[in-house]
Amino acid sequence: MNIAVLVKLVPDTAAMIRLNGDKSGIETRDLNWVLNPYDEYAAEEALALVEKHGGEVTAVACGGDDQVEALRKVVAMGANNAVLVKREGEYDQLASAKAIANAIKDRGFDLIFTGYRTTDDDSTAIGPMVASLLELPCVTEVNKLEVGDGTLTAERNIEGGSEVLEASMPCVITAQKGLNEPRYPKLKGIMMAKKKQIETVDAEAGDIRTATTTMDYPPERPAGKIVGEGVEAVPELVRLLREEAKVIE
Amino acid sequence: MSVLVYCEVSGGSLKKASLEALSEGKKLAGALGGSLNAVVVGSGLDAHIDAIKNHGAETIYVADSADHENYVPEAHLTAVADAAAQASATVCLIPATTRGRELAPRVAVKLDAGLIEDVTGLTGEGGTVAAIRPEYAGKVYRSVKANTLPMVVSTRPNTFDAVADAGAGARVDLSLDYSAKAKVVETRKAGGEKIDVAEADRIVGGGRGLKEPENFKLVEDLAETLGAAVAASRAVVDSGWRPHAEQVGQTGKVVSPTLYIAVGISGAIQHLAGMTTSKTIVAINKDKDAPIFKVADYGLVGDAMEVLPALNAELKK
Ligand SMILES: Cc1cc2nc3c(=O)[nH]c(=O)nc-3n(C[C@H](O)[C@H](O)[C@H](O)COP(=O)(O)OP(=O)(O)OC[C@H]3O[C@@H](n4cnc5c(N)ncnc54)[C@H](O)[C@@H]3O)c2cc1C
Ligand SMILES: Nc1ncnc2c1ncn2[C@@H]1O[C@H](COP(=O)(O)O)[C@@H](O)[C@H]1O
């Protein structure tokens, strides 16, 4: 099985996010960078499938040289190949997706895994976009997957329940938490990843359709109050919810 | 110029998020000087047409067939693209539900349009679209504008008001030609009549402070009294006490209910990321220095196992 995993490096979710001086973006100095948490599930699923069925895993990242770190993290987990789709400057989702789709379209992947969402721009676009660009089926937010002969069965949570989907392969799968337990890279893998040759291709992306005007902090919540301690404070809490906040009857 | 809203019917009901998108679409159409139209796909849709009409749709494109009882992603994609072409849509609004999160990016590719996802603010001044969207789990907000039209925009559920405002509601039936490379073969409802966290207007969230899974009974009881959904911190989801579908936070669901009661939750930055846009936040925690109190409108310092039964009893009075 020939599998691609699309990955991105993002700030640690515990990080304080500060805006830069002209509020055009975030201050990237002093941030701790990690593999997008959902991409770990994507990578784990790809690696486990290849261990079971044979084949190769190729990690693909689109961005500047900093994204090489994302690729090395997946190689350390066990990926066989790493491709950087190189581009600089502001991109939007469609441009990134086109760059990625163009870079992988002729590589004969049976499955393409992505995270279901990134924890930086909080978008959920790249997987479905790459699927549409390559005219492939796409199953999103998958938390259980069974791969058969040319078809697959996947489960996901939806509002108020869950659903089971069947799809033909090749297919794009976006990984949700619950799909698996990602492995920790072993020391040997980390050493190998450091020396890994990264293939670089130039991005072919097309126009950028959106532009950032500015960035801001969310409105601050006004300081709250401590109503009191223990069971004695319960009647006052309920009174405030009824009469002041008016959120209960 | 026209605005097209994808109205989601799933599990036999029209999602409230669709009505919110229609109302927002109506304002946008007004600002852009165009009409508001809707597209809906599924089976047995007659029951939902009036609600769509009453929320401002001038033309409603309907793909109703027994084949669409189960969700077929490509069929919905084709329907939206067909309707967008017929309505000469310059903006396509799609609620950012599970389905919308996959549909919106695919519609953008099909229309070769830009995409702005999960917006919490939307305007149409100067003949173009501008939006605000939370990023880094709500730690910062980005203002974005469209460089070109058409544009696909997905709207965050529970953020915009659904306002009744009748449109002409002319019905146009669509016949679809699609390939189904992926399809839903089975749908399961979560146990009983449980309210989904993502859609709930009131939420009671429990964390590790509840000490053991059995004590979630206290959270469930309070939730039942309030007609609220139960949510959980990642700590208790990772411990297997609660399902991931209930997790709120950066790697769970982002919610904005009217009332969020956090019980035995410390208020880690990743949890706050999922709930600080709630209207009123109540925190119940034994530690008066817990970070959750910094975002809570009302805090109560105390032992959850004592406070929850008392609170439940007081509310029932
Ligand atoms: C990549 C990443 C993503 C994450 N995503 C999420 C996410 O989406 N959602 C999320 O919630 N977390 C997330 N986390 C985890 C987060 O950092 C915290 O570990 C987690 O939120 C803590 O859960 P908790 O508040 O239940 O537990 P704790 O932090 O252990 O807090 C328990 C609280 O209960 C209080 N308490 C104890 N006993 C009692 C009692 N008897 N009565 C009342 N109060 C009591 C304590 O004072 C304490 O404040 C993520 C972490 C990482 C690294
Ligand atoms: N620049 C990128 N390079 C490679 N993969 C990406 C990139 N951006 C996003 N992805 C993949 O697409 C998923 C969803 O991304 P997004 O739509 O940007 O939230 C991520 O989890 C990654 O798997």
Side-chain angles (χ1 to χ4, degrees):
Chain A
M1 216 171 279
N2 186 12
I3 306 182
V5 186
L6 310 186
V7 292
K8 188 181 184 193
L9 205 63
V10 298
D12 188 343
T13 56
M16 279 283 283
I17 300 294
R18 296 270 127 228
L19 297 178
N20 61 12
D22 61 3
K23 291 195 168 179
S24 61
I26 66 160
E27 185 55 74
T28 51
R29 267 177 312 169
D30 306 326
L31 284 177
N32 182 27
W33 297 83
V34 299
L35 192 60
N36 178 39
Y38 298 103
D39 300 356
E40 291 186 13
Y41 303 115
E44 175 60 40
E45 201 64 13
L47 292 167
L49 279 169
V50 159
E51 278 161 7
K52 196 166 152 199
H53 301 281
E56 287 197 340
V57 173
T58 302
V60 180
C62 174
D65 288 329
D66 50 336
Q67 291 297 335
V68 167
E69 187 55 29
L71 295 170
R72 294 205 193 280
K73 284 183 194 285
V74 187
V75 172
M77 287 172 79
N80 309 84
N81 314 303
V83 178
L84 176 68
V85 184
K86 189 140 183 198
R87 53 97 171 159
E88 308 288 350
E90 190 174 359
Y91 256 46
D92 64 0
Q93 304 312 105
L94 188 62
S96 291
K98 282 186 181 168
I100 294 168
N102 281 329
I104 66 174
K105 65 173 190 280
D106 297 325
R107 291 177 189 247
F109 291 117
D110 303 301
L111 283 170
I112 298 163
F113 283 97
T114 79
Y116 105 84
R117 174 172 121 195
T118 43
T119 55
D120 56 352
D121 52 25
D122 273 338
S123 94
T124 53
I126 300 295
M129 279 184 163
V130 167
S132 276
L133 288 163
L134 300 180
E135 291 175 25
L136 299 179
C138 177
V139 187
T140 56
E141 309 192 16
V142 171
N143 58 27
K144 195 168 170 209
L145 180 66
E146 266 169 57
V147 175
D149 193 11
T151 61
L152 55 85
T153 307
E155 279 184 44
R156 66 172 181 185
N157 286 335
I158 54 172
E159 293 80 6
S162 60
E163 58 190 16
V164 182
L165 290 103
E166 268 174 20
S168 60
M169 285 161 58
C171 183
V172 175
I173 300 284
T174 81
Q176 169 63 293
K177 189 183 170 198
L179 185 58
N180 51 45
E181 268 312 312
R183 68 194 64 188
Y184 288 105
K186 297 204 178 71
L187 189 61
K188 188 165 153 246
I190 297 171
M191 299 309 291
M192 262 178 40
K194 281 196 177 131
K195 287 178 283 180
K196 183 77 190 179
Q197 183 72 36
I198 310 279
E199 183 189 338
T200 303
V201 299
D202 285 330
E204 290 171 54
D207 299 340
I208 291 160
R209 310 299 170 89
T210 61
T212 298
T213 32
T214 182
M215 295 193 64
D216 250 307
Y217 296 108
E220 259 184 62
R221 292 191 75 90
K225 59 179 156 203
I226 299 280
V227 177
E229 280 192 32
V231 173
E232 294 75 60
V234 166
E236 175 63 1
L237 173 63
V238 172
R239 189 191 70 77
L240 288 166
L241 291 177
R242 284 203 174 113
E243 293 169 19
E244 191 177 86
K246 297 194 171 70
V247 288
I248 55 174
E249 301 74 44
Chain B
M1 290 242 182
S2 88
V3 176
L4 178 72
V5 176
Y6 170 76
C7 291
E8 176 174 340
V9 171
S10 49
S13 61
L14 176 64
K15 295 273 168 187
K16 181 168 143 269
S18 308
L19 302 180
E20 295 164 5
L22 280 169
S23 297
E24 206 51 29
K26 177 95 191 181
K27 283 192 236 163
L28 186 66
L32 293 174
S35 65
L36 174 71
N37 308 290
V39 55
V40 58
V41 191
S43 78
L45 297 177
D46 290 354
H48 308 298
I49 303 297
D50 274 353
I52 297 172
K53 174 181 170 179
N54 289 336
H55 284 79
E58 300 299 332
T59 305
I60 308 173
Y61 298 89
V62 184
D64 190 334
S65 130
D67 299 343
H68 301 321
E69 170 118 30
N70 277 337
Y71 177 53
V72 181
E74 279 105 340
H76 290 245
L77 179 59
T78 306
V80 178
D82 273 9
Q86 290 194 35
S88 309
T90 35
V91 184
C92 217
L93 292 186
I94 300 179
T97 58
T98 308
R99 214 183 254 184
R101 285 194 290 270
E102 88 177 283
L103 196 56
R106 301 190 72 178
V107 170
V109 169
K110 198 122 186 176
L111 304 181
D112 199 26
L115 172 68
I116 311 177
E117 287 180 287
D118 208 19
V119 307
T120 56
L122 188 60
T123 56
E125 275 99 59
T128 189
V129 177
I132 297 179
R133 60 185 309 271
E135 295 190 352
Y136 299 86
K139 291 172 197 169
V140 292
Y141 282 49
R142 188 187 293 272
S143 299
V144 197
K145 69 172 186 354
N147 286 340
T148 53
L149 293 177
M151 187 60 54
V152 177
V153 178
S154 71
T155 50
R156 177 172 288 197
N158 275 336
T159 305
F160 301 103
D161 291 328
V163 187
D165 178 7
R171 175 173 176 150
V172 175
D173 285 292
L174 297 178
S175 63
L176 302 179
D177 182 13
Y178 59 92
S179 70
K181 290 184 194 154
K183 59 175 193 290
V184 168
V185 291
E186 191 188 336
T187 311
R188 302 179 190 136
K189 263 198 152 51
E193 288 303 296
K194 276 212 288 188
I195 309 164
D196 192 78
V197 186
E199 299 183 314
D201 189 46
R202 293 173 181 173
I203 295 176
V204 186
R208 191 145 51 192
L210 285 154
K211 303 284 192 241
E212 43 188 303
E214 289 68 37
N215 289 334
F216 258 83
K217 178 82 176 53
L218 301 172
V219 172
E220 284 168 352
D221 289 347
L222 178 63
E224 194 182 325
T225 304
L226 287 167
V230 174
S233 72
R234 172 158 170 180
V236 299
V237 170
D238 283 354
S239 309
W241 299 5
R242 304 299 299 183
H244 179 245
E246 288 179 4
Q247 183 180 318
V248 163
Q250 187 145 22
T251 48
K253 288 184 175 143
V254 176
V255 298
S256 350
T258 317
L259 175 64
Y260 188 95
I261 306 184
V263 187
I265 292 179
S266 59
I269 192 161
Q270 296 97 342
H271 188 82
L272 300 186
M275 44 67 74
T276 39
T277 52
S278 306
K279 184 163 169 276
T280 298
I281 298 174
V282 174
I284 299 169
N285 196 301
K286 169 171 105 164
D287 172 11
K288 67 170 184 13
D289 297 320
I292 189 78
F293 286 124
K294 291 211 178 70
V295 300
D297 303 281
Y298 304 107
L300 198 156
V301 181
D303 186 333
M305 271 57 82
E306 292 168 12
V307 172
L308 283 178
L311 180 55
N312 199 11
E314 182 72 22
L315 285 167
K316 281 183 170 164
K317 266 189 198 166

